[in-house]
Amino acid sequence: MNEQPKIGVFKYSCCAGCEFQLIYFQKHVIDMFEKTQITYCRMLQSGGHPEGPFDVALIEGAITEQWQADQLNRVRAVSRYLIPIGSCAVCGGVPAIKNTTEEQEIEKRVYTDTSLVHSMKTGAINDYVKIDGAVKGCPMGVRDLSELVISLLLDKRPEFVNCSVCVECKLAANICVLVAYNEPCMGPVTNAGCGALCPGHHRACYGCWGPMEDANAWALAGQFRLMGLTNDDIHRKFTEFGQPTTQWKAGQIK
Amino acid sequence: MKRIHRKIEIDYLPRVEGETNIEIELGHAPAIRLKIFEPPRFFEGFLVGRRFDEVGDIVSRICGICPVSHMTTAIQAIEKAMGIEVSPQTVTLRKLMSISQIMASHLVHLYMLAMPDYYGCDGFPAMRRDVTRQTEDLLILKDVFNALTGLIGGRALHPVTHLPGGFTAVPSNEAVGQIATQLKQIRPNARRTAEEVAHLGMPDFHCDSEYVCLDTADEYAINGGRIVSTRGLNIAVEDYHAAFHESETEYAFAKKTTRQGASSIMSGAMARLNIKFAKLRQTTKDLAEALDFRPPSDNPFHNNIAQALEIVDGVEHCIELIESSRFEDEDIHIRINAGTAGAVTEAPRGLLYHWYEVDGKGIVQKANIVTPTSHNFSNIEKHLLKLVQENNDKSPPQIRLLCEELVRAYDPCFSCSVH
């Protein structure tokens, strides 16, 4: 690629932690982005060109309002690649917990006057537009982010981490918290990339990187039941980072 | 010259955390509206029905810049509600994690959000090309603070080791000692940051406020203490609801929190310095004196200098905490009890309040979260109004820049404010 690739960064409903990870967090990320042009990113700089065009649009956050979905469609139309970054954008993340309860009920718990609220059921980015890959994680993983930018510069297809946390646990030689300590670990159904962070720090994985492709949620939910978890407990485990349309659906019993 | 009625609309204010518009009406009767359009995510709504030990992990996702503050405040409230005691080591580890996160947050705010205005840059990438030394200081300082948060939390952003009752894993003394060595090495960078910020040339603007912060007798309070103000407020955290009032507005998804009686308040680094300056280390106080900064100040732009001085002091505070501690593995002991309780901490941007009702199975029944930017919301509007009134003879682009600088000086977080 002769010209520096143009990158647009858009934030929807989220904590802005992925954008933070992208822009402010680590020196080598900042260095890497010097080979690109960030032409739109509101938290980073004034001005910019939200209208595009973009070689890559990075989308942070889940969709919870109609204007976000409308803008997302426009961004898709002017972007060569569109990549959701982080769990909210990839699978709904924490903001999708509200999908487990009726929308009006949730709103009434927060505002006495809900007439000004225009919130919808929380959706992931690929519920609305075609995506060209995903940088998973909460916050998104720096390894996959680096892979994305390097692939863009080399004009090659990125290879994202695509296995369960269990694989990373074995590579790190951790003792299995599920089998050895009887802890309800979400590792078997959760996408890797964190380096098995929680098991490495003596706790069960809570699934923040979201569902792994082809996860066997049904089997893990069954195992949790054998371990004595109630249906409510299991439901909570499978809804903290996975909205009800993902690969974790089979575990979302209630 | 007769001025016609004009309006300035700042559409999606850049270089702040989260999403807001600002509407400024000029002319004979100026008016300000901070139209925070950041979409609500309804944390207080969906926390109902979740287990007590998920709450810290969930609320850290309110904010990507101060996740440790939300996590710590929530966990402390849950512990109080359920009657869980923690060890002195846990208290120290929380302090280290909170201080290191506050420092990292201040650094991002000062160098990447606020400073570009004063160098005439549109953002950090342009600054990195033009003002290299300063941006190097940022990266050096930030790496060390992030490393400290990450060492204790497992990762700096959305830590994983912190649960009600304590930490699932404790860092080795060797690793913590290495951070102490690095902290000593970055002392000059921290000092230079304060000098740099003090010399930015901030507007000479004065507007008194009621400054509010946490205070304890023996130290610069971060994770607990009494809520005190420059106008005589001095209450226990349990009396929070009697002293503060949260209300909805028709033009923002964030709620406004004021003192009962609707007077606005300011919390954050400047409020802390205005009240607790005497509790800073002598070297920090000497530096402030050398920089000609003598709190109390009633210039909200000085929040920038206050943050920079907190960075200088925070380096020393962390070194002291590390050098006076020996960390060892501990078990977490909890018991599940019904109860209700609130907790307050000093987040980077000011007072953060979390309140929970938990049932006998440890399930959250009700939640209330009041963030620093909700506490500061009314005061930001009050200060903007006065700033516009005093600068009514300037051109709209000049007024616009002044207003943007003022809002940034407050270091608001609109994602937090709506949550």
Side-chain angles (χ1 to χ4, degrees), chain A residues 11 109-112 201 203, chain B residues 38 45 160 168 248 253 255:
Chain A
K11 173 191 176 293
R109 289 176 192 162
V110 180
Y111 297 101
T112 45
H201 288 83
R203 70 174 283 196
Chain B
E38 173 88 30
V160 300
T168 60
E248 294 167 22
F253 288 125
K255 295 175 190 171

Side-chain angles (χ1 to χ4, degrees), chain A residues 24-161:
Chain A
Y24 307 138
F25 223 74
Q26 290 170 16
K27 191 172 182 311
H28 71 271
V29 175
I30 295 173
D31 289 342
M32 197 171 57
F33 274 93
E34 281 178 357
K35 306 284 179 237
T36 68
Q37 264 185 74
I38 298 183
T39 55
Y40 182 72
C41 181
R42 214 58 180 162
M43 194 157 96
L44 178 67
Q45 57 203 14
S46 313
H49 300 281
E51 70 282 3
F54 305 111
D55 292 293
V56 176
L58 299 178
I59 313 292
E60 172 191 51
I63 301 295
T64 64
E65 292 189 4
Q66 188 56 45
W67 68 267
Q68 299 171 326
D70 296 342
Q71 188 190 55
L72 182 64
N73 275 305
R74 291 197 294 275
V75 174
R76 173 71 268 186
V78 296
S79 303
R80 185 168 164 221
Y81 303 115
L82 184 143
I83 311 275
I85 55 174
S87 288
C88 299
V90 175
C91 63
V94 162
I97 297 175
K98 83 175 168 96
N99 291 358
T100 59
T101 309
E102 205 257 315
E103 178 71 27
Q104 268 296 316
E105 172 61 27
I106 289 278
E107 292 181 8
K108 275 192 295 192
R109 289 176 192 162
V110 180
Y111 297 101
T112 45
D113 178 5
T114 58
S115 65
L116 302 164
V117 176
H118 308 290
S119 200
M120 324 185 287
K121 208 172 167 67
T122 303
I125 297 308
N126 71 352
D127 293 341
Y128 290 90
V129 295
K130 175 182 158 287
I131 60 171
D132 303 296
V135 179
K136 295 182 178 179
C138 185
M140 69 165 158
V142 171
R143 184 261 169 216
D144 277 0
L145 176 68
S146 307
E147 171 69 11
L148 174 74
V149 179
I150 290 164
S151 302
L152 182 70
L153 294 169
L154 299 177
D155 208 13
K156 76 169 186 73
R157 181 183 294 275
E159 284 183 37
F160 296 123
V161 177

